[in-house]
Amino acid sequence: MVKLKSQQVFDLEYFFEVVPDLLCIAGFDGYFQKVNPAVCRVLGYSQAELFASPISDFIHPDNRDRTAEKRTALLQGRSLFNFENRYLTKSGAVVWLSWTSVPIQKDSLVFAIAKDITYRKQLEEYERISSILGMINDDHQSRFRQEKSGVDRTFAALKSDDDQRKADEPSQSDQLWLDSFEKIVREHAGKADLNLELISDGLAISQRQLFRRVHGILGITPNKLVRVIRLQLAWEAIGSGKYRTVKEISNIAGYSSRGHFNRLFYEVYGIHVAELL
């Protein structure tokens, strides 16, 4: 309990419970000692499960070493501001968190608050991939015009109005709607009949409304968003270690031409699929 200047008593425990950000108190031993409901909601674990294992067990393997370095600095008394790392939820999904942490050395505790920035990271990736896809398309059209006219011009990668628009982080309703869009694409990505009609039917809206909604949230077309999700599916399939051939990966992503898929993947991620496999 804290007594304010107005003599009103304020219950900090209530604040801890209702604040939407992730709040936690951790020991210098690397275990959670107290978490608010937002931590359980975002990560999908109960409090008992979170307290039973070291915090490092919940961190994405690729971020554990960097996080361990920051933890060492915390134990030496240096506060941490806006540190971003990835956690794995109980279902295996990846969430991005931005942490501000303060060590309390006399009690061997760390007080930390985190914001879930998963959607911001996802939108940044959408924008990055869609920009590359736009430049690939512009490059193809530019070279085609050069070949027809016989004029040797240097290609300038000019982005379309769609690509120039940087989308703000969507509202919660927009996020849920994008989740529904992505779920439909993922369910049908490997099928030849995946088209905007199928997606609009699944979302119970017209194709015109579909275009307006996607463009309004992300500033890109629905077709481009489908290609972005397909490429992310390919990356996830490779990361799973379950597949051994480019054909398997291209089929999962919904590309019938392995050559086209391989070139597109290289343009976006800078590495050939075969090298990853």
Side-chain angles (χ1 to χ4, degrees), residues 133 136 227-238 243 245-274 276-277:
L133 293 174
I136 293 170
R227 279 179 282 169
V228 170
I229 295 170
R230 279 178 155 170
L231 285 167
Q232 290 182 326
L233 268 171
W235 184 264
E236 291 166 10
I238 293 169
Y243 307 98
T245 67
V246 176
K247 182 179 180 181
E248 287 178 305
I249 303 298
S250 63
N251 287 342
I252 288 171
Y255 288 91
S256 57
S257 169
R258 279 173 285 173
H260 171 66
F261 165 70
N262 212 16
R263 287 192 300 273
L264 191 61
F265 189 93
Y266 179 79
E267 292 284 354
V268 171
Y269 294 111
I271 189 170
H272 292 292
V273 177
L276 291 172
L277 294 175

Side-chain angles (χ1 to χ4, degrees), residues 149-194:
S149 63
V151 178
D152 184 15
R153 296 191 300 268
T154 301
F155 166 68
L158 298 176
K159 296 182 182 180
S160 66
D161 291 340
D162 282 352
D163 295 319
Q164 289 174 344
R165 179 187 179 277
K166 182 175 178 63
D168 296 326
E169 188 166 345
S171 64
Q172 186 174 9
S173 63
D174 286 340
Q175 291 176 8
L176 292 173
W177 189 86
L178 286 173
D179 283 344
S180 299
F181 184 105
E182 182 171 344
K183 183 179 179 181
I184 293 173
V185 174
R186 285 175 174 270
E187 287 175 350
H188 300 277
K191 301 177 182 178
D193 61 351
L194 174 60

Side-chain angles (χ1 to χ4, degrees), residues 165 167-168 174 210-220:
R165 179 187 179 277
D168 296 326
D174 286 340
L210 181 73
F211 178 88
R212 288 177 177 172
R213 190 75 187 267
V214 173
H215 189 271
I217 298 173
L218 299 174
I220 61 177

Side-chain angles (χ1 to χ4, degrees), residues 24 74 78-83 99-103 110-113:
C24 67
L74 276 171
R78 297 199 293 271
S79 297
L80 188 63
F81 299 100
N82 301 320
F83 171 65
W99 292 92
T100 295
S101 306
V102 179
V110 174
F111 286 70
I113 181 171

